[in-house]
Amino acid sequence: MNNIKWSVEQPFQALALTGGGFRGIFAAQALQCMEEHIGHPVGRHFDISCGTSIGGIVALAVAFEVPMKKVVDVFTEHGEAIFPSHTPPEGKWQIGCDLFKHRNRPRYSSVSLRQAIASLIPEGAVLGDALHPVAIPAVNVTEGRPQVFKTRHKQEWHRDWKLKAIDVALATSAAPTFFGLAEVSGSLYSDGGLFANAPDLIAFHEAEYYFGVPVDAVRILSIGTTTKSYSISFNAGREFGVADWMQDARLFSVMISAQQQFVDQLMAHRLGDRYLRLDKEPSQEQASDLGLDIATPVAIRTLKALATKATTDLIGNRLDGYLSHTPQLKIFGKDNG
């Protein structure tokens, strides 16, 4: 059993990584800055890492101690293969034609995404091979319920550790209309962002419910993807149809932004100064260069610059307490306690 005494002096510390498509390179770059500061894998300082969609892929890399520089380099290299450059349709006629073109298939193939993940985590690696605890949400559309894939950081859990990490990564990032459904153990899965794009609450629930951690002994570092604020101009009108909501991924942007702000409020209310949110809202000009599926060199440079500035501003200040934490939560062996 996990007989750990949690306290203010020895807190349960979690890392929560938000989803956000290619903007997730912001989180990877932020973690790279931290690793350059401390000189070793950042996963060694968290009791658990939770991540959704691209954040789930990065969280798995943290759990497997993949250098964050490698994560940034891989998504920089594979970005335009995952999200091929295209001219966004303008006007309802072009948008309608684009929707009709993709009416029976996702916009992007998962092949390049899988290749990128496989260059970070070996194809045959299972969750039981992770070095640190991790929790990854996805939606089991075969059974019609949300699911959180976990390492065996509680002795009585015997299921998920056998699952391939790459399959879990594809499940949490199978964004509707962007990628096809992922298959894990005979069930089909869609993006965990449909219910937990900001997995901070999953991290908090893991601590409070499964390990009985007192609220004042929970500490969370949450990293975003520059997607906190998203608004729609009055000029766009009010009578939105399918084409309007799908233009520039409006629907997904609203979902991501609303979820994140709601979770931010709840966590700030529950944890106070034990909740640290690392994110950076781009300027209006920068925002036009960014998007869930924009992987251009300009987008990469912008995301890396924003992440570096936001992170280095906190190093030597509030962030150092998180980066000196010694975790207590461990993973049980595959076959015994």
Side-chain angles (χ1 to χ4, degrees):
M1 298 294 292
N2 296 89
N3 296 315
I4 303 172
K5 293 184 178 180
W6 308 97
S7 65
V8 175
E9 292 74 24
Q10 291 186 312
F12 180 106
Q13 179 166 289
L15 175 65
L17 303 175
T18 305
F22 191 73
R23 292 184 178 198
I25 204 170
F26 176 95
Q29 177 67 27
L31 292 169
Q32 179 185 335
C33 290
M34 296 179 206
E35 290 191 342
E36 291 172 349
H37 174 64
I38 60 180
H40 54 259
V42 72
R44 297 177 186 177
H45 294 287
F46 292 92
D47 289 282
I48 194 169
S49 297
C50 302
T52 304
S53 197
I54 180 65
I57 296 172
V58 178
L60 285 166
V62 169
F64 278 82
E65 290 197 356
V66 179
M68 284 299 114
K69 183 181 186 305
K70 183 175 182 180
V71 177
V72 172
D73 289 345
V74 164
F75 280 100
T76 297
E77 177 186 350
H78 291 263
E80 289 197 308
I82 298 171
F83 298 115
S85 297
H86 64 281
T87 302
E90 297 182 359
K92 291 192 175 182
W93 172 252
Q94 287 189 16
I95 295 171
C97 290
D98 184 68
L99 290 173
F100 183 79
K101 177 182 176 182
H102 296 97
R103 68 194 185 282
N104 293 323
R105 59 184 173 88
R107 184 171 296 277
Y108 305 109
S109 168
S110 300
V111 173
S112 294
L113 179 59
R114 186 182 189 98
Q115 290 173 345
I117 298 169
S119 65
L120 298 172
I121 302 171
E123 280 272 3
V126 297
L127 287 185
D129 295 321
L131 300 175
H132 307 290
V134 69
I136 308 292
V139 178
N140 185 327
V141 294
T142 298
E143 298 187 13
R145 61 180 180 84
Q147 183 168 332
V148 180
F149 297 105
K150 305 177 185 181
T151 45
R152 194 186 174 207
H153 46 271
K154 198 169 182 64
Q155 189 175 27
E156 52 265 42
W157 294 344
H158 293 277
R159 181 193 63 190
D160 291 352
W161 72 261
K162 304 173 186 178
L163 302 176
K164 287 187 176 181
I166 193 169
D167 290 341
V168 172
L170 288 169
T172 192
S173 55
T177 75
F178 284 85
F179 297 109
L181 298 172
E183 183 174 348
V184 183
S185 294
S187 289
L188 297 177
Y189 287 85
S190 189
D191 198 310
L194 292 173
F195 77 99
N197 196 69
D200 312 45
L201 286 172
I202 290 176
F204 183 76
H205 183 70
E206 199 78 4
E208 188 177 46
Y209 181 79
Y210 290 107
F211 298 99
V213 183
V215 174
D216 62 1
V218 177
R219 190 163 61 182
I220 296 177
L221 172 62
S222 176
I223 304 180
T225 56
T226 75
T227 55
K228 178 179 179 180
S229 178
Y230 182 82
S231 57
I232 297 174
S233 170
F234 275 105
N235 289 332
R238 297 172 57 189
E239 303 298 322
F240 275 23
V242 174
D244 299 293
W245 277 112
M246 298 308 294
Q247 182 178 0
D248 298 327
R250 271 189 182 131
L251 178 60
F252 300 110
S253 295
V254 169
M255 288 173 58
I256 289 172
S257 174
Q259 281 196 45
Q260 186 58 68
Q261 293 182 64
F262 177 63
V263 169
D264 281 356
Q265 291 179 10
L266 290 184
M267 290 292 92
H269 292 166
R270 295 300 304 275
L271 300 182
D273 61 4
R274 298 186 309 283
Y275 177 69
L276 178 58
R277 176 69 176 168
L278 196 165
D279 205 351
K280 183 70 173 179
E281 189 167 344
S283 68
Q284 187 173 355
E285 288 188 2
Q286 291 171 331
S288 64
D289 294 326
L290 305 178
L292 301 177
D293 58 348
I294 297 178
T296 62
V298 171
I300 292 169
R301 289 181 62 185
T302 300
L303 290 165
K304 291 173 70 172
L306 291 173
T308 298
K309 180 64 166 64
T311 307
T312 54
D313 281 351
L314 291 173
I315 289 177
N317 193 355
R318 291 185 65 194
L319 195 54
D320 283 10
Y322 289 84
L323 298 179
S324 61
H325 174 73
T326 300
Q328 300 183 85
L329 193 63
K330 306 294 182 183
I331 297 176
F332 287 96
K334 299 178 183 179
D335 301 315
N336 54 62

